[in-house]
Every structure is written in structure tokens, then in C-alpha cells.
Amino acid sequence: MMGQSLALGGRSVVGDLSAVAAAAFYSGYVLTLSRVRKRVSLTATMAYSGTMSAVLLIAATLVMEPQLWPHTVHGWMIAVGMVVLAQLAGQMLIAASLAHVPAGFAAALFLAQPALPAAAAWVLFGEKVTPTQVLGSIALLTGLEISRRGAAKKS
């Protein structure tokens, strides 16, 4: 994923550090969600998570952006689509899965997110995939299989 930006430089380092920070927050989210789901219903978990996310993201938006609400129908359609697909469907499926899958394996599985869309784009749209990306995807999927086997042995 980072093969083309390995050189140390201003924008590259900031982007790489941002990616590491995002991964740390995402891992923390999955681990917290996993613990909460053991004690709280899916509906309550999503209500609390969605409310807190909305409050934090609105505050961040007000600090960083001059415009909070979309001004066009197209903008509203994008916002509603993101709420329905990303937040309601995606996050709810993640939260529901954590009642059945160990958090460590779920977090490892999220690493496949870059590989699966790249494969779909290659198949569906003829996107170019470099040999380095193929090797990285193979390494990632191999690691996931090792993780799955380790989680199965613990069960």
C-alpha cells in the first residue's frame, strides 16, 4: 500500500502517520465495541456509538469547515447514502459480528479492506494491479488465514 511513498518527506510522512493513527483509532473502536457488545444490545450499542460519533464529528466539522450542511440535493444524497451504507449498514454489521467472532480476528479481517476493493476494481473495471500490490494482498490474506486458525484453536 505504501510502496510508492516510502521516501521520507513532508507530505509522505504526514500521510503515513495519519494512516497509523487511523489504524490505532479503528482498532480501539473494534476492541471497545467488542467489549460493549458483550453487555449491551446491538440497538443500544449502535445508538450510543452513532450519537457519540455524530457529536464528535459535528464538533470537528465546525472547527475545520466553514459549511456544515450540504447546499444541493446531490450533496444531501451523498450524505444520506453515507449514513445508510457506512454507518447504519456497515457499522451495524461490524457490531453484530462481534457477538460471534473474536475481536482480534475481526480487527485482522479489517486489514483485507484494501485488498478486496482492489480485486473487485481489477475484475469489474479493469484497474491495473501492480505485482507489489498482488504480493502484499497475498501476504495479507495469508496472515488472515494464520489468524483464523489461531482463533479457531482457542475456541
Side-chain angles (χ1 to χ4, degrees), residues 65-142:
E65 295 289 333
Q67 176 181 328
L68 179 61
W69 304 109
H71 287 307
T72 65
V73 172
H74 183 257
W76 276 105
M77 288 174 55
I78 291 171
V80 169
M82 289 178 64
V83 166
V84 171
L85 294 175
Q87 186 62 32
L88 295 180
Q91 297 302 319
M92 192 174 298
L93 288 171
I94 289 169
S97 73
L98 289 171
H100 308 285
V101 177
F105 179 65
L109 190 58
F110 292 136
L111 294 173
Q113 286 179 338
L116 297 177
W122 173 62
V123 170
L124 296 173
F125 307 116
E127 289 286 328
K128 301 285 186 217
V129 180
T130 67
T132 304
Q133 291 170 323
V134 171
L135 287 174
S137 294
I138 291 169
L140 186 142
L141 294 173
T142 301

Side-chain angles (χ1 to χ4, degrees), residues 1-57:
M1 297 293 295
M2 294 176 21
Q4 297 163 348
S5 69
L6 286 177
L8 291 177
R11 294 193 84 191
S12 177
V13 171
V14 170
D16 293 344
L17 291 175
S18 295
V20 170
F25 281 114
Y26 200 42
S27 297
Y29 170 75
V30 170
L31 293 172
T32 302
L33 195 60
S34 175
R35 289 190 180 115
V36 169
R37 278 288 291 131
K38 291 177 183 172
R39 295 184 299 258
V40 180
S41 73
L42 176 61
T43 304
T45 300
M46 293 312 300
Y48 296 138
S49 173
T51 301
M52 289 306 299
S53 296
V55 168
L56 293 172
L57 290 173

